[in-house]
Amino acid sequence: MNRRGYLVILLLGLAVSALATAGALTATLAPPTVTETVLHVACGMSFIGVGLLAWSRRPENRIGMLMTAAGFAWFLADLRYIPGSLSFTAADYAGRTLFYAIVAHLFLAFPSGHLRSRADRIITVAVYLWIGLSNLGPEAFFAAPAGGPLPDNLLAIYRDAHLHTLAGNAHQVANVALSLLVFGVVLAHWANATPPGRRALAPVCLASGPIVVAVVSLNAVGVVEQMDWLNTILPTMTPLLLMTLPFAFLVGLIRSGLDRIAVGHLVVELGETQPPGHLRDALALTLHDPSLQLVYWLDGTEGYVDAVGNPVELPARGSDQVVTLLEREGQPVAALLHDPSLEDDPWLIDAVAAAACLAVENERLHADLAAQLAEVRASRARILEAGDAERRRVERDLHDGAQQRMVSLALALRLAVDQVGTAPDEAVRRSLTVAADQLRQALAELRELVNGLHPAVLTEG
């Protein structure tokens, strides 16, 4: 929708609020006070105004549209100021509860605007069905008796004062139960969320308590007797409690705007030379996601590595992290692995990704160098292992081959010397003795060589 469309909706909201104000100030039957009228109009316009602001900033997110619809539904109750049975019937049937059904839908769909689980969808459908059918029952089949100062209800088929009271009480008890169920689901969303997810859920969590108080109070005065004091303050208290939602959401929008301003500071910070690893910390701080990972594309391996060069597999769809790719001129440079809740603000994640592309090249080179160093270390380890294995093989061959043959030859020479004994050929005996001595010396040197190829002290160390 373009700006003209948002402007038309805003002007329509102002017109509706002006008609509601005029109707309240000119009412003759139980007219509200000026304070009650101001708070009533302020509540409806706060939903419309903040809803349009959120809708215009994030058109793809349904939260702004739901909040705007809730604001218009709030003014449906003011149809009772228009004379006639048709307007009175419409106000009595939908004006009192449709607003709360839309708010329940908004709570369950926050912050993405989409209902996350099957349970959320079932509860939302049940709320809308309950609002439609439960209002129809008391007004059509258990209607109050005709007559009195109020216009006639066009939906009435069967009238019974006693059944009308019983059906109304049951309706209000069920309203309280449904509101507590929605409140419990919101708290469950909060409990199961990650830290960035809890930060995103903060507006509805802050507003859910006051709104539940408002719903319980509105239904309690119809069931429990002797609560006139509560019925007296409800027209003032209810709008104040309900306005906590748009104002809490407005605070969230302001905080989101500050996050976008922080992207500008991030660009300035990343323009300066930073030590390795600082880029990831700066991105995590800007996105408020301590679990964020920054991995780098490695051309040689056609894959991603972390800052120290270790290979990294990108998480699959539906896992605890999602992937935002960083590309330059259509080529992958790096990837951000971050919390899924950050996808609810695509502008912020895109802006941070663009800022990161400006500084990621330096860190990618560091990661590439780290990966190469890791490969060099692994290659060196393989070379050392191969050298050790080869030395063990040579040691084993010398020990089991040449050394054993030389020992055998030494024994044979010593036996030959003993056999010569005192034979007349003294020269032969001396030659054999010299050969045996030289062979023993060579055997000692060979043993020293074998032991030095793979020293035992190195193995033990």
Side-chain angles (χ1 to χ4, degrees):
M1 187 187 303
N2 54 28
R3 292 184 178 181
R4 181 176 298 178
Y6 296 120
L7 179 60
V8 169
I9 296 176
L10 178 61
L11 294 177
L12 182 60
L14 292 173
V16 169
S17 65
L19 291 175
T21 303
L25 295 178
T26 58
T28 57
L29 183 62
T33 65
V34 175
T35 301
E36 294 170 353
T37 302
V38 170
L39 290 177
H40 176 81
V41 173
C43 180
M45 283 306 302
S46 66
F47 275 86
I48 293 175
V50 175
L52 286 174
L53 178 60
W55 195 357
S56 62
R57 292 190 62 182
R58 302 177 190 173
E60 74 287 348
N61 193 312
R62 298 178 183 175
I63 292 299
M65 182 178 62
L66 286 173
M67 188 169 292
T68 304
F72 281 101
W74 173 256
F75 288 116
L76 285 177
D78 297 313
L79 291 174
R80 67 184 186 274
Y81 297 127
I82 301 176
S85 298
L86 181 61
S87 58
F88 174 78
T89 302
D92 202 40
Y93 175 70
R96 295 180 298 177
T97 51
L98 180 59
F99 166 83
Y100 296 98
I102 298 176
V103 169
H105 185 180
L106 191 153
F107 274 168
L108 296 177
F110 195 87
S112 65
H114 299 278
L115 299 170
R116 320 177 194 189
S117 65
R118 182 181 180 186
D120 292 344
R121 291 189 287 272
I122 291 175
I123 294 174
T124 303
V125 172
V127 168
Y128 281 112
L129 288 177
W130 171 252
I131 293 302
L133 298 177
S134 64
N135 284 346
L136 181 62
E139 301 302 329
F141 300 102
F142 311 108
L150 296 176
D152 190 23
N153 185 355
L154 299 180
L155 294 176
I157 298 175
Y158 177 78
R159 299 179 183 274
D160 187 296
H162 179 66
L163 292 179
H164 180 76
T165 302
L166 292 179
N169 291 343
H171 182 201
Q172 290 166 329
V173 171
N175 288 343
V176 172
L178 276 177
S179 66
L180 294 177
L181 176 62
V182 172
F183 180 63
V185 173
V186 171
L187 293 183
H189 287 173
W190 170 269
N192 297 328
T194 58
R198 291 182 178 181
R199 188 172 185 269
L201 286 170
V204 296
C205 289
L206 292 174
S208 59
I211 290 182
V212 167
V213 171
V215 173
V216 172
S217 301
L218 287 169
N219 289 277
V221 295
V223 178
V224 182
E225 298 181 355
Q226 299 177 349
M227 296 189 70
D228 293 338
W229 61 272
L230 182 59
N231 198 26
T232 302
I233 65 173
L234 274 178
T236 302
M237 181 183 73
T238 301
L240 291 174
L241 294 175
L242 296 177
M243 279 191 289
T244 57
L245 178 58
F247 280 109
F249 194 72
L250 182 61
V251 171
L253 291 177
I254 295 174
R255 186 181 60 189
S256 177
L258 294 177
D259 290 340
R260 297 185 180 195
I261 294 175
V263 175
H265 297 294
L266 176 66
V267 173
V268 175
E269 182 179 358
L270 296 182
E272 303 173 358
T273 303
Q274 301 292 344
H278 176 79
L279 176 57
R280 180 264 162 202
D281 296 337
L283 297 177
L285 181 63
T286 303
L287 293 174
H288 307 281
D289 182 10
S291 66
L292 180 136
Q293 291 179 269
L294 179 61
V295 295
Y296 307 91
W297 176 258
L298 201 59
D299 294 329
T301 61
E302 297 297 314
Y304 290 89
V305 297
D306 59 15
V308 296
N310 298 322
V312 175
E313 290 290 336
L314 297 184
R317 183 178 299 273
S319 61
D320 294 337
Q321 286 186 314
V322 296
V323 180
T324 296
L325 298 179
L326 307 184
E327 297 180 343
R328 178 175 295 173
E329 297 180 355
Q331 298 298 320
V333 177
L336 294 177
L337 314 183
H338 56 82
D339 192 270
S341 63
L342 295 176
E343 289 187 314
D344 296 330
D345 192 353
W347 188 97
L348 179 61
I349 192 69
D350 290 344
V352 170
C357 281
L358 299 177
V360 76
E361 187 64 25
N362 182 44
E363 295 239 353
R364 191 179 70 85
L365 291 176
H366 281 286
D368 191 2
L369 178 60
Q372 294 180 17
L373 290 176
E375 179 59 29
V376 169
R377 294 189 187 99
S379 176
R380 184 171 60 187
R382 290 193 296 269
I383 292 173
L384 291 176
E385 290 175 359
D388 289 342
E390 184 64 19
R391 283 195 294 270
R392 290 190 184 95
R393 188 188 65 77
V394 172
E395 178 185 10
R396 183 174 61 254
D397 292 346
L398 290 176
H399 182 275
D400 297 338
Q403 182 175 329
Q404 294 300 327
R405 288 191 293 273
M406 292 178 72
V407 169
S408 298
L409 180 59
L411 291 175
L413 287 174
R414 191 178 296 112
L415 180 61
V417 171
D418 293 339
Q419 289 176 348
V420 170
T422 57
D425 195 349
E426 183 66 21
V428 173
R429 193 180 69 80
R430 284 198 304 270
S431 297
L432 291 174
T433 301
V434 171
D437 291 339
Q438 291 179 351
L439 184 60
R440 282 195 297 272
Q441 183 178 359
L443 182 60
E445 293 175 354
L446 180 61
R447 284 173 177 169
E448 183 178 354
L449 173 63
V450 169
N451 291 332
L453 284 175
H454 194 76
V457 65
L458 179 60
T459 304
E460 293 172 0

